[in-house]
Amino acid sequence: MFELQVSEDGSKYRLLGVRGLRPVRRLPDALLIGVKKSGTRALLEFLRLHPDVRAAGSEIHFFDRHYHKGFNWYRKKMPPTIEGQVTMEKTPSYFVTKEVPYRVKRMNPDTKLLVVVRDPVTRAVSDYTQAASKKNKSGMLNFECLAFVKDSGYNVVDTSWGPVRIGVYARHLTRWLRYFPLRQMMFISGERLIIDPAAEMARVQDFLGLKRVVTEKHFYFNATKGFPCLLKSEGRSTPHCLGKTKGRSHPRIDPKALEKLREFYKPFNLRFYQMTGIDFGWP
Ligand SMILES: Nc1ncnc2c1ncn2[C@@H]1O[C@H](COP(=O)(O)OS(=O)(=O)O)[C@@H](OP(=O)(O)O)[C@H]1O
């Protein structure tokens, strides 16, 4: 029951003690790969309530931006864990970045992959709302101008615009399925995560092989915020909600533009339902 660990330079051996009792930084067992603006922060915060889950707090962007720094750099960004605990990281851009599936497979072909998805139309509006909140408002075109090709009268969707492109989930998933079997991926409805977080958490904990510790007793619905919030969590004795950048009010968008965007997404959504075997029920 003693563990030998190779030191950083690979030359010396050190006796660590009883296997698994000393917390060490490990590469993630599970990744929350997306999708941006679908509820990824909420899911990660809910998972962190579990004593057997340890997750990096911020988005590390290893597989899309820092890959050249190597796996050891990435490992050092992870929280220390003891054996049996699940190490996690979330970076929502992983789902839509071409190179990422291959790189994750190289790290560990058994990595479990979690994907939160939300109606791509509201997701696009949420993405736009975030971008607009960062810019000075006068410098930002309105949603309708950005989502459609100029002078097309809402008839041609601009698929090169990030907030639109990200929502074509079937296309991104096709890439992941070249490297990972579907059974290694779990899809979580962003809508259900708001309506019934405990039920979604039960499924997620099962998928990760964890005891169902996070249950309805951890949540309450905060009517002012309009979202489920947490009754208690590690290091906090008082109830709290996610920050004010989560659950922003969205601008009014021309209903005709929204309708056209819904039409655009329909075949991709149906394809996504077929691929995952889940009907997400988006209008
Ligand atoms: N419990 C709870 N509290 C607050 N917000 C919640 C919650 N559950 C899901 N959501 C939805 O999460 C949306 C933000 O998604 P992400 O966390 O994935 O955004 S990000 O990609 O990390 O920026 C955010 O989008 P907006 O409503 O557009 O701000 C929320 O709708």
Side-chain angles (χ1 to χ4, degrees):
M1 287 302 278
F2 288 95
E3 190 176 17
L4 279 173
Q5 191 191 39
V6 184
S7 69
E8 287 288 279
D9 66 5
S11 62
K12 296 182 207 105
Y13 294 90
R14 270 188 306 139
L15 190 58
L16 289 179
V18 180
R19 178 184 290 278
L21 287 186
R22 178 176 171 273
V24 287
R25 294 179 197 277
R26 304 162 212 260
L27 288 168
D29 309 289
L31 290 175
L32 181 34
I33 58 177
V35 178
K36 185 182 179 193
K37 304 316 296 175
S38 295
T40 57
R41 175 55 60 186
L43 180 63
L44 192 72
E45 291 312 308
F46 300 168
L47 270 167
R48 289 171 99 183
L49 299 171
H50 201 294
D52 292 336
V53 173
R54 300 292 319 277
S58 59
E59 294 174 10
I60 309 291
H61 283 277
F62 172 65
F63 293 103
D64 58 341
R65 293 188 198 154
H66 300 290
Y67 190 64
H68 61 282
K69 294 182 178 163
F71 289 125
N72 213 28
W73 177 90
Y74 187 38
R75 191 179 54 76
K76 286 180 185 161
K77 298 282 176 199
M78 294 300 134
T81 49
I82 56 169
E83 219 166 88
Q85 287 184 317
V86 174
T87 304
M88 287 198 65
E89 190 245 328
K90 90 122 175 153
T91 297
S93 48
Y94 289 165
F95 186 62
V96 299
T97 308
K98 198 163 95 258
E99 299 78 12
V100 172
Y102 166 75
R103 292 172 175 179
V104 174
K105 186 162 184 170
R106 250 198 94 216
M107 174 186 76
N108 178 3
D110 296 327
T111 308
K112 291 187 175 173
L113 305 166
L114 297 165
V115 193
V116 190
V117 285
R118 176 185 193 183
D119 172 5
V121 176
T122 38
R123 199 219 67 81
V125 177
S126 172
D127 208 345
Y128 168 82
T129 307
Q130 169 162 289
S133 77
K134 288 179 182 166
K135 291 219 171 172
N136 107 36
K137 292 227 165 66
S138 57
M140 182 98 181
L141 290 172
N142 65 24
F143 180 89
E144 294 85 336
C145 290
L146 292 161
F148 296 91
V149 169
K150 200 164 174 250
D151 300 328
S152 75
Y154 301 157
N155 280 317
V156 186
V157 172
D158 186 349
T159 52
S160 69
W161 187 44
V164 166
R165 190 179 53 85
I166 290 171
V168 185
Y169 304 141
R171 200 170 280 168
H172 306 298
L173 179 57
T174 302
R175 243 189 346 257
W176 280 91
L177 291 177
R178 285 191 204 122
Y179 296 90
F180 290 92
L182 193 63
R183 67 181 141 73
Q184 232 166 288
M185 305 187 78
M186 181 179 191
F187 301 90
I188 298 114
S189 153
E191 288 84 7
R192 295 216 56 79
L193 196 61
I194 295 170
I195 299 166
D196 193 353
E200 287 306 291
M201 285 309 294
R203 293 179 54 236
V204 174
Q205 290 168 96
D206 291 352
F207 174 73
L208 293 174
L210 297 164
K211 271 199 212 137
R212 290 188 181 184
V213 172
V214 183
T215 62
E216 54 283 340
K217 69 176 188 293
H218 288 91
F219 303 100
Y220 75 100
F221 188 80
N222 183 312
T224 317
K225 174 111 181 144
F227 285 93
C229 296
L230 299 174
L231 277 171
K232 55 178 180 179
S233 63
E234 203 183 286
R236 295 209 204 208
S237 51
T238 50
H240 72 281
C241 299
L242 264 59
K244 58 179 186 298
T245 61
K246 305 293 176 188
R248 293 183 174 103
S249 43
H250 295 176
R252 186 190 174 277
I253 310 291
D254 184 340
K256 285 197 204 92
L258 292 178
E259 198 39 54
K260 286 287 185 180
L261 211 46
R262 289 202 187 290
E263 261 174 45
F264 164 78
Y265 279 120
K266 201 142 252 168
F268 297 112
N269 287 346
L270 288 177
R271 179 85 193 101
F272 185 66
Y273 298 171
Q274 283 165 356
M275 292 170 87
T276 57
I278 306 169
D279 181 345
F280 288 91
W282 297 317

